[in-house]
Amino acid sequence: MPPGRDDVGQVRALPFLARLARMRQPAGRDGDVAAGLKLLRMIASPGYPFDEQDARLRVERELDAGLPSGVRDSRAQAG
């Protein structure tokens, strides 16, 4: 592989994107919180414990500020 190519990272991203696209949560705030927590668990480092309480607070703060959950933010997903 020529220097500067990152085909490996692109291949690893495909299963993640497929799982993200298949995620379904109920509508409403509870579903948004659940979707946000699932996304944070998916991207969390396996080398560190997942802090459920902190993650929930972060998701709820974003929702309270009027920001869409990362899973429901179609503009972010399109990027």
Side-chain angles (χ1 to χ4, degrees):
M1 178 178 347
R5 291 193 53 191
D6 188 18
D7 294 339
V8 175
Q10 292 172 2
V11 171
R12 289 182 189 155
L14 292 176
F16 173 79
L17 294 173
R19 285 195 332 255
L20 187 62
R22 288 191 306 266
M23 285 179 56
R24 298 288 180 257
Q25 299 299 327
R29 183 176 177 84
D30 289 341
D32 288 348
V33 170
L37 286 172
K38 275 190 178 180
L39 176 62
L40 289 177
R41 276 190 206 97
M42 289 171 69
I43 63 173
S45 171
Y48 297 94
F50 184 75
D51 187 340
E52 175 92 19
Q53 185 177 7
D54 180 63
R56 180 177 293 276
L57 287 173
R58 289 174 32 206
V59 170
E60 289 176 344
R61 267 191 239 130
E62 287 180 2
L63 292 170
D64 290 343
L67 302 172
S69 168
V71 174
R72 302 218 200 264
D73 186 352
S74 58
R75 289 183 65 205
Q77 288 183 28

